[in-house]
Amino acid sequence: KNEVEQSPQNLTAQEGEFITINCSYSVGISALHWLQQHPGGGIVSLFMLSSGKKKHGRLIATINIQEKHSSLHITASHPRDSAVYICAVRSSPSGSRLTFGEGTQLTVNP
Amino acid sequence: DTEVTQTPKHLVMGMTNKKSLKCEQHMGHRAMYWYKQKAKKPPELMFVYSYEKLSINESVPSRFSPECPNSSLLNLHLHALQPEDSALYLCASSQVAATSGNTIYFGEGSWLTVV
Protein backbone atom coordinates (compact mmCIF):
# COMPACT_ATOMS: atom_id res chain seq x y z
CA LYS A 1 0.00 0.00 0.00
CA ASN A 2 1.38 3.41 -0.97
CA GLU A 3 1.95 5.90 1.82
CA VAL A 4 -0.02 8.47 -0.19
CA GLU A 5 -3.15 7.42 -2.03
CA GLN A 6 -5.12 9.67 -4.36
CA SER A 7 -8.58 9.23 -5.78
CA PRO A 8 -9.84 9.19 -8.36
CA GLN A 9 -6.99 8.32 -10.72
CA ASN A 10 -8.85 9.87 -13.65
CA LEU A 11 -11.64 12.41 -13.62
CA THR A 12 -13.60 13.87 -16.51
CA ALA A 13 -15.90 16.81 -15.90
CA GLN A 14 -17.96 19.31 -17.84
CA GLU A 15 -17.04 22.95 -17.72
CA GLY A 16 -18.58 24.62 -14.70
CA GLU A 17 -18.75 21.51 -12.52
CA PHE A 18 -17.48 21.37 -8.94
CA ILE A 19 -14.55 18.98 -8.66
CA THR A 20 -13.07 17.16 -5.68
CA ILE A 21 -9.81 15.24 -5.60
CA ASN A 22 -8.95 13.26 -2.50
CA CYS A 23 -5.67 12.36 -0.84
CA SER A 24 -5.18 9.94 2.06
CA TYR A 25 -1.89 9.24 3.72
CA SER A 26 -0.73 6.69 6.23
CA VAL A 27 2.25 8.40 7.85
CA GLY A 28 2.58 11.30 10.25
CA ILE A 29 3.23 14.45 8.30
CA SER A 30 4.42 17.95 8.91
CA ALA A 31 3.04 19.39 5.67
CA LEU A 32 1.01 18.40 2.63
CA HIS A 33 1.42 19.91 -0.82
CA TRP A 34 -1.00 20.04 -3.71
CA LEU A 35 0.78 20.33 -7.05
CA GLN A 36 -0.44 20.83 -10.60
CA GLN A 37 1.35 19.45 -13.64
CA HIS A 38 0.39 20.34 -17.20
CA PRO A 39 1.37 18.16 -20.18
CA GLY A 40 4.36 20.43 -20.87
CA GLY A 41 6.01 19.10 -17.75
CA GLY A 42 6.42 21.94 -15.28
CA ILE A 43 4.96 21.53 -11.81
CA VAL A 44 3.23 24.38 -10.02
CA SER A 45 2.80 24.36 -6.27
CA LEU A 46 -0.85 25.18 -5.54
CA PHE A 47 -1.03 24.84 -1.77
CA MET A 48 1.00 23.83 1.23
CA LEU A 49 -1.09 22.82 4.23
CA SER A 50 -0.39 21.73 7.74
CA SER A 51 -3.89 22.32 9.11
CA GLY A 52 -7.29 23.72 8.22
CA LYS A 53 -8.20 25.16 4.88
CA LYS A 54 -6.72 27.43 2.23
CA LYS A 55 -8.36 29.18 -0.71
CA HIS A 56 -6.85 30.68 -3.82
CA GLY A 57 -9.22 31.87 -6.51
CA ARG A 58 -11.39 28.92 -7.54
CA LEU A 59 -9.22 26.41 -5.69
CA ILE A 60 -9.80 25.28 -2.12
CA ALA A 61 -7.66 22.82 -0.18
CA THR A 62 -8.57 21.26 3.14
CA ILE A 63 -6.77 18.91 5.47
CA ASN A 64 -7.93 16.80 8.40
CA ILE A 65 -4.85 15.78 10.35
CA GLN A 66 -6.72 13.35 12.63
CA GLU A 67 -8.24 11.50 9.68
CA LYS A 68 -5.04 11.80 7.57
CA HIS A 69 -7.00 13.12 4.65
CA SER A 70 -6.89 16.13 2.37
CA SER A 71 -9.12 17.31 -0.44
CA LEU A 72 -8.59 19.69 -3.33
CA HIS A 73 -11.73 21.36 -4.66
CA ILE A 74 -12.10 23.29 -7.90
CA THR A 75 -15.19 25.44 -8.24
CA ALA A 76 -16.60 26.45 -11.64
CA SER A 77 -14.13 24.21 -13.46
CA HIS A 78 -12.70 25.32 -16.79
CA PRO A 79 -10.91 23.45 -19.58
CA ARG A 80 -7.66 25.19 -18.62
CA ASP A 81 -7.86 23.33 -15.28
CA SER A 82 -7.14 20.12 -17.21
CA ALA A 83 -3.90 18.79 -15.75
CA VAL A 84 -2.51 16.18 -13.39
CA TYR A 85 -3.00 17.07 -9.72
CA ILE A 86 -0.50 15.55 -7.33
CA CYS A 87 -0.65 15.28 -3.56
CA ALA A 88 2.72 15.13 -1.80
CA VAL A 89 3.55 14.90 1.90
CA ARG A 90 6.56 15.81 3.94
CA SER A 91 6.68 13.06 6.51
CA SER A 92 8.62 14.68 9.32
CA PRO A 93 9.76 18.16 10.36
CA SER A 94 13.34 17.29 9.59
CA GLY A 95 12.64 15.50 6.34
CA SER A 96 13.81 16.78 3.00
CA ARG A 97 11.83 14.22 1.10
CA LEU A 98 8.38 14.56 -0.36
CA THR A 99 6.34 11.39 -0.80
CA PHE A 100 4.10 11.74 -3.85
CA GLY A 101 0.76 10.27 -4.69
CA GLU A 102 0.26 8.78 -8.13
CA GLY A 103 -1.62 11.84 -9.35
CA THR A 104 -5.14 12.50 -10.62
CA GLN A 105 -5.59 13.21 -14.32
CA LEU A 106 -8.34 15.82 -14.64
CA THR A 107 -9.97 16.58 -17.98
CA VAL A 108 -12.52 19.37 -18.16
CA ASN A 109 -14.54 19.40 -21.36
CA PRO A 110 -16.10 22.59 -22.75
CA ASP B 1 10.83 36.36 -8.99
CA THR B 2 9.46 32.93 -8.05
CA GLU B 3 10.98 31.06 -10.95
CA VAL B 4 13.16 28.04 -11.22
CA THR B 5 14.69 28.08 -14.69
CA GLN B 6 15.90 24.90 -16.34
CA THR B 7 17.91 24.52 -19.53
CA PRO B 8 17.77 22.95 -21.99
CA LYS B 9 14.07 22.17 -22.27
CA HIS B 10 14.78 19.23 -24.56
CA LEU B 11 17.95 17.19 -24.93
CA VAL B 12 18.70 14.21 -27.13
CA MET B 13 21.99 12.49 -26.45
CA GLY B 14 23.80 9.35 -27.45
CA MET B 15 24.94 6.78 -24.92
CA THR B 16 28.55 7.89 -25.26
CA ASN B 17 27.88 11.61 -24.95
CA LYS B 18 28.56 13.91 -22.02
CA LYS B 19 26.00 16.62 -21.43
CA SER B 20 24.70 18.74 -18.57
CA LEU B 21 21.34 19.96 -17.36
CA LYS B 22 21.26 23.35 -15.67
CA CYS B 23 18.97 24.86 -13.08
CA GLU B 24 18.91 28.39 -11.70
CA GLN B 25 16.88 30.22 -9.05
CA HIS B 26 17.18 33.73 -7.64
CA MET B 27 14.83 33.41 -4.70
CA GLY B 28 17.62 33.06 -2.16
CA HIS B 29 16.68 29.43 -1.57
CA ARG B 30 19.36 27.31 0.09
CA ALA B 31 17.89 23.91 -0.81
CA MET B 32 17.83 22.58 -4.35
CA TYR B 33 16.64 19.26 -5.66
CA TRP B 34 16.83 17.04 -8.72
CA TYR B 35 13.88 14.76 -9.50
CA LYS B 36 13.41 12.23 -12.29
CA GLN B 37 9.93 11.60 -13.66
CA LYS B 38 8.90 8.84 -16.03
CA ALA B 39 5.67 9.05 -18.01
CA LYS B 40 2.49 8.84 -15.93
CA LYS B 41 4.49 8.40 -12.74
CA PRO B 42 5.17 10.78 -9.85
CA PRO B 43 8.58 12.43 -9.55
CA GLU B 44 11.35 10.44 -7.87
CA LEU B 45 13.90 12.25 -5.76
CA MET B 46 17.49 11.93 -6.97
CA PHE B 47 19.56 14.48 -5.05
CA VAL B 48 19.17 17.20 -2.44
CA TYR B 49 21.62 20.04 -1.93
CA SER B 50 21.43 22.03 1.26
CA TYR B 51 23.61 25.13 1.59
CA GLU B 52 25.55 24.02 -1.50
CA LYS B 53 26.42 20.66 0.05
CA LEU B 54 25.03 17.34 -1.13
CA SER B 55 22.79 16.12 1.66
CA ILE B 56 20.83 13.32 -0.02
CA ASN B 57 21.78 10.95 -2.82
CA GLU B 58 19.01 8.44 -3.39
CA SER B 59 21.41 5.73 -4.59
CA VAL B 60 21.55 7.30 -8.02
CA PRO B 61 23.96 5.65 -10.51
CA SER B 62 27.27 7.44 -10.90
CA ARG B 63 26.51 8.24 -14.54
CA PHE B 64 24.49 11.10 -13.00
CA SER B 65 26.75 13.61 -11.28
CA PRO B 66 25.26 16.64 -9.51
CA GLU B 67 27.09 19.87 -8.89
CA CYS B 68 26.12 22.99 -6.98
CA PRO B 69 28.62 25.73 -7.94
CA ASN B 70 26.83 28.38 -5.86
CA SER B 71 23.59 28.95 -4.03
CA SER B 72 21.71 29.89 -7.22
CA LEU B 73 22.89 27.17 -9.58
CA LEU B 74 22.47 23.43 -9.75
CA ASN B 75 23.85 21.25 -12.52
CA LEU B 76 23.32 17.62 -13.39
CA HIS B 77 26.18 16.16 -15.42
CA LEU B 78 25.27 13.21 -17.60
CA HIS B 79 27.69 10.63 -18.96
CA ALA B 80 27.28 7.19 -20.50
CA LEU B 81 23.54 7.17 -20.00
CA GLN B 82 21.24 4.33 -20.95
CA PRO B 83 18.00 4.54 -22.96
CA GLU B 84 16.04 3.80 -19.77
CA ASP B 85 17.35 7.08 -18.36
CA SER B 86 15.11 8.91 -20.82
CA ALA B 87 12.72 10.92 -18.66
CA LEU B 88 11.69 14.39 -17.53
CA TYR B 89 14.26 15.81 -15.12
CA LEU B 90 12.84 18.36 -12.74
CA CYS B 91 14.75 20.82 -10.62
CA ALA B 92 13.17 22.32 -7.53
CA SER B 93 14.11 24.66 -4.72
CA SER B 94 12.89 25.68 -1.29
CA GLN B 95 14.07 28.10 1.37
CA VAL B 96 15.79 25.39 3.34
CA ALA B 97 15.61 21.63 3.00
CA ALA B 98 14.48 20.50 6.38
CA THR B 99 11.66 22.74 7.50
CA SER B 100 8.03 21.78 7.21
CA GLY B 101 6.83 25.27 6.39
CA ASN B 102 8.56 25.59 3.03
CA THR B 103 6.82 25.86 -0.28
CA ILE B 104 8.73 23.97 -2.94
CA TYR B 105 9.10 25.55 -6.37
CA PHE B 106 9.62 23.42 -9.45
CA GLY B 107 11.08 24.25 -12.82
CA GLU B 108 9.53 23.40 -16.17
CA GLY B 109 11.78 20.38 -16.50
CA SER B 110 14.25 19.10 -19.07
CA TRP B 111 13.01 16.35 -21.35
CA LEU B 112 15.90 13.94 -21.89
CA THR B 113 15.99 11.30 -24.60
CA VAL B 114 18.91 8.87 -24.70
CA VAL B 115 19.41 7.16 -28.06
Side-chain angles (χ1 to χ4, degrees):
Chain A
K1 189 179 190 304
N2 291 338
E3 289 182 342
V4 181
E5 298 267 354
Q6 283 186 238
S7 63
Q9 279 187 300
N10 293 283
L11 180 56
T12 300
Q14 288 301 120
E15 184 172 357
E17 284 184 1
F18 180 85
I19 286 160
T20 296
I21 300 170
N22 294 299
C23 175
S24 296
Y25 52 90
S26 56
V27 295
I29 68 165
S30 57
L32 182 144
H33 298 256
W34 281 103
L35 309 168
Q36 179 194 56
Q37 187 170 32
H38 281 281
I43 291 178
V44 174
S45 182
L46 299 174
F47 294 103
M48 183 186 60
L49 295 161
S50 53
S51 65
K53 176 178 172 178
K54 287 190 177 179
K55 184 175 189 289
H56 182 73
R58 295 180 294 107
L59 301 178
I60 303 166
T62 64
I63 189 167
N64 185 317
I65 296 293
Q66 287 73 29
E67 294 187 4
K68 296 191 168 148
H69 182 267
S70 176
S71 293
L72 176 69
H73 305 285
I74 305 175
T75 62
S77 60
H78 190 277
R80 65 175 174 267
D81 297 325
S82 299
V84 175
Y85 292 84
I86 303 169
C87 171
V89 301
R90 191 185 297 276
S91 58
S92 73
S94 61
S96 303
R97 292 176 179 80
L98 289 177
T99 303
F100 294 86
E102 292 289 314
T104 295
Q105 173 68 63
L106 171 64
T107 303
V108 181
N109 294 318
Chain B
D1 181 4
T2 57
E3 277 193 353
V4 176
T5 304
Q6 289 189 242
T7 56
K9 191 157 176 65
H10 298 273
L11 177 63
V12 179
M13 61 184 291
M15 289 189 283
T16 58
N17 290 160
K18 281 187 185 181
K19 297 284 185 184
S20 297
L21 304 180
K22 296 186 184 303
C23 175
E24 192 167 0
Q25 57 84 17
H26 296 288
M27 294 178 276
H29 289 175
R30 303 312 295 273
M32 297 185 77
Y33 311 78
W34 279 115
Y35 288 88
K36 173 183 176 180
Q37 187 179 25
K38 301 286 272 184
K40 299 191 185 299
K41 291 291 184 185
E44 299 170 16
L45 183 65
M46 299 175 72
F47 302 104
V48 180
Y49 272 82
S50 180
Y51 293 92
E52 296 94 72
K53 289 188 176 10
L54 183 65
S55 63
I56 294 176
N57 176 343
E58 292 285 85
S59 302
V60 178
S62 60
R63 57 186 184 268
F64 296 92
S65 174
E67 179 199 18
C68 190
N70 60 56
S71 59
S72 299
L73 292 174
L74 184 66
N75 298 321
L76 186 63
H77 302 297
L78 314 170
H79 174 52
L81 294 193
Q82 303 297 310
E84 59 265 28
D85 296 321
S86 298
L88 177 67
Y89 288 83
L90 289 157
C91 175
S93 71
S94 62
Q95 280 190 319
V96 292
T99 301
S100 62
N102 288 322
T103 296
I104 187 163
Y105 294 84
F106 286 85
E108 291 288 309
S110 292
W111 293 92
L112 174 67
T113 303
V114 182
V115 297

